[in-house]
């Protein structure tokens, strides 16, 4: 345990970190893998994209995802098994990405995994009295860490919920730090399974905002 904490401490001290980000959206079309070098923090954050690949999912895997995706009733065993299966498939694609780009896991500081959203339930949608905002992503991070050999960060939407948000849209956090410009109002449109936009005011004392633009089309 001490060696793990020491490793995290050494990563935190670096002026620049090499991070792989994973994103699998509600379109269920594949896994986006981005290898980035990140330095700074807050509005001084800088990102250099080294490599990017969007790897399509096999049709059979997509069909498995659809057995639990956006369904109010599912078999609990299917949900439990997919939590691990999704992590294993994402880990396989990460290893494929590393091999293709001649990279060793030791050359990557952190793996950041969004997971696969299978159900999103903010209060305004579920309408249940005295029930919280909630969202569920599958893709067990311990399996990812074990099978890739890279420290893995995850559950980003849960952190947003815990802080009082709805868990979505979540792109605002990165948009604000990377694309805000003093004295220039900007709107960034994220087109995915459910599109959303971020409003970044040129007056940085004003709040940034993010909204979904509509409902998903099945």
């Amino acid at each position: 345990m001490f060696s793990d904490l020491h490793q995290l401490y050494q990563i935190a001290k670096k002026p620049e970190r090499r991070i792989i980000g994973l994103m699998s959206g509600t379109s269920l079309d594949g896994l986006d893998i981005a290898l980035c070098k990140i330095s700074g923090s807050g509005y001084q954050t800088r990102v250099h994209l080294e490599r990017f690949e969007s790897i399509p999912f096999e049709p059979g895997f997509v069909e498995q995802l659809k057995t639990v995706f956006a369904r109010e009733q599912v078999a609990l065993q299917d949900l439990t098994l997919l939590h691990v299966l999704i992590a294993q498939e994402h880990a396989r694609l990460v290893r494929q990405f590393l091999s293709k780009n001649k990279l060793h896991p030791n050359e990557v500081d952190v793996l950041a995994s969004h997971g696969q959203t299978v159900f999103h339930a903010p209060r305004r949608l579920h309408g249940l009295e005295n029930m919280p905002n909630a969202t569920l992503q599958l893709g067990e991070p311990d399996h990812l860490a074990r099978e890739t050999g890279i420290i893995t960060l995850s559950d980003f939407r849960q952190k947003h919920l815990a802080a009082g948000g709805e868990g979505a849209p979540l792109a605002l956090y990165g948009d604000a730090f990377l694309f805000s410009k003093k004295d220039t109002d900007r709107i960034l449109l994220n087109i995915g399974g459910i599109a959303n936009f971020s409003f970044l005011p040129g007056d940085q004392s004003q709040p940034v905002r993010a909204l979904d633009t509509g409902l998903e089309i099945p």
Side-chain angles (χ1 to χ4, degrees):
M1 181 177 179
F2 179 79
S3 61
D4 293 338
L5 292 174
H6 179 71
Q7 186 177 358
L8 288 171
Y9 175 69
Q10 293 302 318
I11 291 172
K13 286 172 56 179
K14 288 185 174 183
E16 184 177 68
R17 302 164 191 87
R18 210 174 195 187
I19 296 175
I20 286 180
L22 305 182
M23 179 64 190
S24 174
T26 53
S27 55
L28 305 179
D29 55 354
L31 183 67
D32 293 341
I33 305 178
L35 174 66
C36 303
K37 285 185 177 179
I38 300 179
S39 61
S41 62
Y43 286 105
Q44 282 68 53
T45 300
R46 297 293 179 266
V47 175
H48 170 67
L49 178 63
E50 287 193 274
R51 294 177 181 87
F52 173 83
E53 187 172 0
S54 185
I55 306 177
F57 290 141
E58 295 292 334
F61 181 67
V62 174
E63 290 306 311
Q64 288 178 299
L65 294 179
K66 287 181 178 180
T67 63
V68 300
F69 179 74
R71 296 178 182 270
E72 290 192 2
Q73 295 186 8
V74 300
L76 187 55
Q77 176 172 277
D78 292 346
L79 195 70
T80 303
L81 293 174
L82 274 169
H83 195 31
V84 176
L85 184 66
I86 289 169
Q88 291 176 333
E89 179 63 10
H90 287 189
R92 183 185 71 82
L93 295 177
V94 169
R95 293 195 302 270
Q96 176 182 307
F97 175 85
L98 291 172
S99 176
K100 179 179 178 180
N101 290 285
K102 296 180 173 55
L103 290 167
H104 190 276
N106 289 343
E107 296 179 81
V108 180
D109 293 308
V110 169
L111 179 66
S113 173
H114 170 271
Q116 177 64 59
T117 297
V118 294
F119 203 86
H120 188 58
R123 289 190 193 94
R124 59 185 174 82
L125 292 183
H126 64 60
L128 299 173
E129 189 175 355
N130 299 322
M131 295 301 287
N133 291 320
T135 187
L136 180 62
Q137 287 72 45
L138 300 183
E140 216 294 317
D142 285 319
H143 287 267
L144 265 170
R146 183 74 177 181
E147 296 195 23
T148 62
I150 304 171
I151 291 173
T152 300
L153 308 178
S154 65
D155 282 341
F156 307 117
R157 293 192 187 276
Q158 299 303 328
K159 293 173 176 63
H160 192 243
L161 288 170
E166 291 188 356
L170 206 60
L172 177 64
Y173 188 80
D175 288 347
F177 286 163
L178 298 179
F179 300 108
S180 291
K181 185 177 181 182
K182 189 176 181 181
D183 299 324
T184 302
D185 292 341
R186 288 180 168 178
I187 291 177
L188 278 71
L189 178 63
N190 171 39
I191 301 175
I194 300 175
N196 54 73
F197 70 87
S198 301
F199 172 65
L200 312 177
D203 179 357
Q204 294 182 354
S205 68
Q206 298 299 311
V208 296
R209 300 183 185 278
L211 295 170
D212 287 331
T213 61
L215 298 177
E216 182 178 21
I217 300 174

